[in-house]
Amino acid sequence: MTSSPDCNQPAGQAEALLAHLRRLTDLDAPTGFEEPVLRYMSEQLGSFCEQVEHDVRGNVYASLAGTTADALRIMITAHADEIGFLVTSVLADGFLRFTRLGHPTEMVLPGQRVRVHTASGSLEGVIGVKPGHVLAASEARTVPPVSEQYIDIGATSQAEAVEWGIEPGTPVTFHGPLTATAHPQRYFGKAVDNRAGCACLLELAKRLRQKRPEAHLEFVVVVEEEIGLRGAEVATRRVQPDVVIAIDTVPSGGTPDLRPDELPWQIGGGPLLKVRETKGLSTHGPLRNLFRRVADEQGIPYQLIVDTAGITDATSAQQASGDVAAMTIGLARRYSHSAAELFDLRDVSAIVDLIAHTCGAIASRDQLLRT
């Protein structure tokens, strides 16, 4: 693999990606409540694609015809949803009990700022934490189970919280604005998983409209990834693609609390090419090799990864069709499923470059055959 830190990116690509990321991460769209992101993506994709459609499940489909009528069909996908919470009950004194939506990292919850989304607007809140002054030694070393935690929105009574629009099933998200670090390319915030993938979809649609490949393209924004890769399965059955490229984020190493061999890929090292997912995808070998060849030809850095803890939409897409080549392109990010997922913008831009060039190199089914 190449180790070059830079590649030839179109002027303004990084700036455009960052602008989309700021807007997308500012939107609150937990699983089952993805409408804000779906609306934004539908509007933006409509500027570049010939047709934008929606299914009842919520998936957004944006089509861009290739230059050859009988060419292959490539589906490029990213999920709209973020992890979050659901209110389960309102206590007599106005505090909110809640449950997880997806898999937010439980150890970071106490003291975390959140936003509670009612039908009439969002309310600021905090997940309560017992004062350190009165914690027993054993309590100070443990995180209470989610069933014992609560959200404080400043309400003084159950009636007041209900009057503000709180009811069972009200969604909650982390409060974590996209924030620049002192490093000019590194940012952190909530919902980087997978608004980074959504931003890549928009830039890919813009770029491939200007320089169309032979293949027909379907840019698909899917729902319900965080609770079982559900939207992508529905989308694949509808599109019937020859190739699926799923863009998602992946936990990275490089921090003091991980051994160098635990997650031996890092932010800033380029796109992640998955070889296998634990309990999930075994990526299509010829397609993976094509991505590697294109990366080497274009001087795009990349990292091969094996057996991450999570799985991606490429897994459900691969199983939904018996005749598809599936691949995951990952963005390394630290502090998974927290309010401060940290990433390197150069990796996001390199993902766009790699996928754009590879789409241009896919010309026939013979390239995908495992013989």
Side-chain angles (χ1 to χ4, degrees), residues 29-34 38 57-59 77-84 101-103 191-195 198 220-234 246-251 274 277 308-317 328-329 333 337 341:
T31 305
F33 301 85
E34 296 100 330
L38 299 176
R57 195 63 171 267
N59 298 324
T77 182
H79 68 86
D81 55 323
E82 64 191 278
I83 51 90
L101 192 52
H103 300 279
V192 172
D193 176 15
N194 186 31
R195 305 297 155 69
C198 291
V220 186
V221 186
V222 299
V223 299
E224 301 176 5
E225 189 271 352
E226 296 291 357
I227 58 170
L229 319 176
R230 297 176 182 178
E233 182 176 356
V234 173
I247 309 171
D248 210 337
T249 65
V250 178
K274 285 197 171 185
E277 296 178 339
T308 60
I311 57 178
T312 67
D313 281 327
T315 289
S316 62
T328 297
I329 306 298
R333 53 88 166 89
H337 287 188
E341 296 177 326

Side-chain angles (χ1 to χ4, degrees), residues 6-22 178 184-187 196 199-200 203 206-207 343-353:
D6 298 305
C7 49
N8 297 322
Q9 300 167 355
Q13 178 170 285
E15 291 81 0
L17 284 166
L18 183 58
H20 283 305
L21 268 168
R22 288 195 184 281
L178 192 67
Q185 300 291 339
R186 296 187 173 184
Y187 298 79
C200 288
E203 191 62 21
K206 174 184 175 183
R207 184 161 163 183
F343 67 98
D344 192 304
L345 186 62
R346 292 170 296 186
D347 292 338
V348 185
S349 200
I351 287 172
V352 173
D353 292 334

